[in-house]
Amino acid sequence: MLLALLAGIACHAAAEPAPEFVVDPAQLQSLGVGLQKLTASSATVGAPAPAKVTLPPELDMLISAPVDGVVTQVLVGPQDAVKSGQSLLRLSSSALGEMQLRLMEAGSRLQLARHALDRERRLFDEGIIPERRVQEAKAAQRSAEATQRQAEAALRLAGVGDATISRVAAGGRLDDGLTVHARSAGWVTALDVRPGQRVREADALLRLANPREVWLEVQLPVGAAVATGQQLALVGRDVSAVAQSLGPLVGEGQTQTLRARVTRGAALLRPGEVVQVSVPKAGGAGWVLPQAAVFHHEGRAFVFVRSTRGFVATPVRMSGGAGGVTQVIGELKAGQDVAVRAVVALKSAWLGHGGGD
């Protein structure tokens, strides 16, 4: 009887695979194994919450008409990608001509004021006029310079280049049209005008969005406890974000808005898109992994942790999950690499080393 029991225990021990098994780099590549590095443990994963993809205010630009005029040509279309400095549209404007005329007149007055100051200085040096006349000439020149700088600033604000401003100030040719350029790269998200349309100064022409940095506005139930700096994951996307602030106001749906900055995968998102975010719940701690990273053997859950020789089958306990991600608790450490792809193939290799099922 005792011999039979010992034989049964020995047989079961032989069937149980060792935790660590060897996988060389060539096998790792041929199996197509994907790894994810553990960063920091996070709170328990809660139910998904809706979120809208937004841009910081400085990256969502409204291009408005710099002067009154008529749109003569539109050079871009909706959803077009534009580069910094690219021409967007052209305006024909009589107001622009008046602004240039004021600059030309200011340039002429400044030139006369400089000549007058030179003449007064010569006469003063010869003792013909008093010094007061020189001081008056200096004041007139300073006034003329200020007038010209003001006229130049108005044209520069309208988008006129420095070369054109210098030419007009020197009495050169006037332009009857103006080209509006993109101040930074981005996408055309809205186009509000068409050729032949008359616009007034400050009317909206188009809108540019630069997705260099993407934010999420997550709608959470009132009273949700989310700490600043907490990691968030998007459902079904390789995208993560960091919680920044929870708004104090409550919306009509009895929700609060959590603003989060996307730290990975911003290129996969589009401004205005609505996504689902797995928001951690308060209490508990663990490691967030894709559900595909966890496998089961004889009623227990495991993950494969990369070792120097291959992988170690590490037992874990699942404490929650939603939307393709799961929360696990176990003997895991930050910095370890966990297999998240081709886990079934690794399980077969692991069981093959020990003769499991």
Side-chain angles (χ1 to χ4, degrees):
M1 182 69 176
L2 180 59
L3 291 176
L5 180 60
L6 291 175
I9 294 175
C11 180
H12 178 75
E16 181 70 24
E20 185 174 16
F21 62 102
V22 178
V23 178
D24 59 45
Q27 291 175 320
L28 194 70
Q29 184 174 4
S30 63
L31 291 175
V33 177
L35 302 175
Q36 176 176 316
K37 188 175 294 293
L38 297 178
T39 53
S41 59
S42 59
T44 305
V45 177
K52 184 177 181 180
V53 181
T54 62
L55 295 174
E58 66 271 15
L59 299 182
D60 188 10
M61 296 162 286
L62 176 65
I63 308 300
S64 57
V67 292
D68 297 351
V70 176
V71 179
T72 57
Q73 191 175 9
V74 177
L75 305 175
V76 294
Q79 306 302 320
D80 282 357
V82 300
K83 300 178 181 179
S84 178
Q86 181 175 334
S87 300
L88 302 175
L89 52 84
R90 294 192 176 96
L91 296 174
S92 177
S93 172
S94 59
L96 178 66
E98 295 174 359
M99 295 169 65
Q100 294 176 96
L101 181 59
R102 285 195 292 271
L103 174 58
M104 182 179 290
E105 292 173 346
S108 298
R109 285 194 295 271
L110 177 58
Q111 188 175 8
L112 290 176
R114 286 171 176 167
H115 291 328
L117 178 58
D118 291 340
R119 184 183 66 253
E120 297 295 276
R121 281 174 174 167
R122 288 195 303 269
L123 294 175
F124 173 72
D125 292 340
E126 295 173 3
I128 299 175
I129 61 173
E131 185 178 4
R132 175 181 55 82
R133 294 270 298 270
V134 177
Q135 299 301 327
E136 291 174 350
K138 285 183 180 179
Q141 177 177 314
R142 286 194 294 268
S143 177
E145 288 174 346
T147 302
Q148 178 169 324
R149 284 196 296 269
Q150 182 183 29
E152 290 175 349
L155 285 173
R156 195 170 289 112
L157 185 62
V160 178
D162 290 337
T164 301
I165 291 176
S166 299
R167 185 190 71 229
V168 172
R173 176 179 55 85
L174 304 182
D175 290 341
D176 58 358
L178 175 67
T179 301
V180 179
H181 298 89
R183 295 184 179 179
S184 65
W187 293 323
V188 179
T189 57
L191 184 61
D192 300 321
V193 294
R194 60 185 61 187
Q197 182 175 341
R198 183 174 294 278
V199 295
R200 302 295 300 270
E201 184 180 353
D203 282 353
L205 300 176
L206 52 86
R207 186 181 293 273
L208 287 180
N210 187 342
R212 184 177 71 244
E213 183 175 339
V214 177
W215 289 65
L216 299 174
E217 292 184 352
V218 189
Q219 300 303 315
L220 299 179
V222 177
V226 179
T228 301
Q230 204 161 36
Q231 295 286 334
L232 309 177
L234 265 67
V235 176
R237 305 277 190 96
D238 187 19
V239 178
S240 60
V242 176
Q244 299 293 320
S245 62
L246 184 63
L249 302 180
V250 178
E252 295 180 357
Q254 295 301 298
T255 59
Q256 290 178 279
T257 300
L258 170 69
R259 286 181 56 82
R261 180 174 57 86
V262 175
T263 55
R264 188 183 79 248
L268 303 176
L269 302 176
R270 296 291 180 267
E273 182 181 7
V274 177
V275 296
Q276 294 291 316
V277 176
S278 294
V279 181
K281 296 188 299 185
W287 307 88
V288 177
L289 290 171
Q291 289 181 352
V294 182
F295 69 95
H296 294 81
H297 176 62
E298 295 185 351
R300 293 191 298 166
F302 293 83
V303 296
F304 286 123
V305 178
R306 188 82 165 101
S307 66
T308 55
R309 300 175 61 242
F311 286 91
V312 177
T314 304
V316 295
R317 178 168 57 86
M318 302 174 68
S319 61
V325 296
T326 187
Q327 188 90 16
V328 299
I329 299 174
E331 297 298 324
L332 302 174
K333 299 179 181 179
Q336 290 180 322
D337 290 318
V338 175
V340 296
R341 193 170 62 246
V343 175
V344 174
L346 286 178
K347 180 181 178 182
S348 300
W350 175 57
L351 296 178
H353 282 73
D357 55 5

